[in-house]
Amino acid sequence: MKQNFTVRQGALDGVEAFLSVAQHRSFRRAAAELGVTPSAISQAVRALEARVGAALFIRTTRSVGLTEAGERFFARARPAFEELIAASGAARELGRRPAGLLRLTVPRSVVPILLEPLIASFCQTYPEIEVELAASEEMIDLAAGGFDAGIRMGQFIAPDMIAVRLTKPLPLIVVGSPTYLARAGRPEHPDDLRTHACLRLRRSSGALASWSLDDGGRSIEIAVSGPFIAYDFPTMLGAAIEGVGLAQVPAPLATGAIAAGKLARVLEQFAPMTPGVFLYYPGHRQIMPKLRAFIDHVKGHSGATS
């Protein structure tokens, strides 16, 4: 049978007063403990008894005792109230210091660019924070997914989010493997891309992303074609290294492969700048210490400026 967990408005009013009187067997001592007048305690208890529908105390001029209903109420209300106090304290601690589970949704391409070099140092600096990364290209609803924040390239963040810069603007570069360039030649102008095998990226919306280039300050969008479609930059980069075709990726993602001679840059003078990588979270949410610690740590190591 489905239980009804609805709590009437004001149902908890007077419970603390009741528990204090039941513990001390005295309205006066309960008032002193809670820092109110005995009259206020009496009113709170009477209101609670009216809501419960039963007398909870036996009162005489010399003593205070519990009725059977009061004994049952005390036996169940005391541990529940103590648990509420403990829950409040636990939540308060998370609001005071960096601790708890930090859940982030990030695209796969951001992990090697930004997070891999920093996660170890962050976890060592803040041992009371557990970090959970959910790598996905989907634009996930943070609240529905239970995430503290997300990390994305700046151009993909909704305007109603608070965005915090984590990196400087990043160039978007075109790269190809030495074997591919030896076979197909090096493009010298954006128009040359129409005769090249260009690896494409499918957005989470289902649309194929065009390539963006910069021609002397003029933005160019080219609907390229090629034999391979990926859903994220790391997969596209891997195909480029294998010689499948040219790829356009954020520059930091290809740095290692370029240094190792597995890829070479082309069309360097046409590379556009992207806004960079940002952390974002809902504007109505108060930022928790665990998230503030993460932002400060990443910004301190990435050289980003707000």
Side-chain angles (χ1 to χ4, degrees), residues 179-202:
T179 55
Y180 173 82
L181 295 176
R183 182 174 73 248
R186 296 176 66 93
E188 301 295 337
H189 189 273
D191 288 340
D192 297 341
L193 293 175
R194 304 185 190 281
T195 61
H196 276 268
C198 297
L199 311 182
R200 291 172 290 171
L201 182 72
R202 190 177 295 280

Side-chain angles (χ1 to χ4, degrees), residues 1-6:
M1 179 181 295
K2 184 178 179 180
Q3 292 181 324
N4 183 0
F5 291 102
T6 301

Side-chain angles (χ1 to χ4, degrees), residues 140-205:
I140 296 173
D141 185 312
L142 297 181
F147 290 98
D148 294 287
I151 297 176
R152 287 290 184 274
M153 303 291 284
Q155 64 267 40
F156 303 123
I157 297 175
D160 62 340
M161 293 285 159
I162 291 180
V164 179
R165 177 179 292 280
L166 298 182
T167 72
K168 296 178 179 179
L170 303 174
L172 200 59
I173 64 173
V174 178
V175 294
S177 71
T179 55
Y180 173 82
L181 295 176
R183 182 174 73 248
R186 296 176 66 93
E188 301 295 337
H189 189 273
D191 288 340
D192 297 341
L193 293 175
R194 304 185 190 281
T195 61
H196 276 268
C198 297
L199 311 182
R200 291 172 290 171
L201 182 72
R202 190 177 295 280
R203 303 289 187 204
S204 59
S205 64

Side-chain angles (χ1 to χ4, degrees), residues 235-275:
T235 302
M236 180 187 294
L237 191 71
I241 291 173
E242 294 301 321
V244 178
L246 299 176
Q248 187 177 45
V249 298
L253 195 63
T255 299
I258 293 174
K262 297 179 180 179
L263 291 173
R265 287 188 63 172
V266 297
L267 300 174
E268 293 186 48
Q269 69 272 34
F270 298 100
M273 297 297 292
T274 68

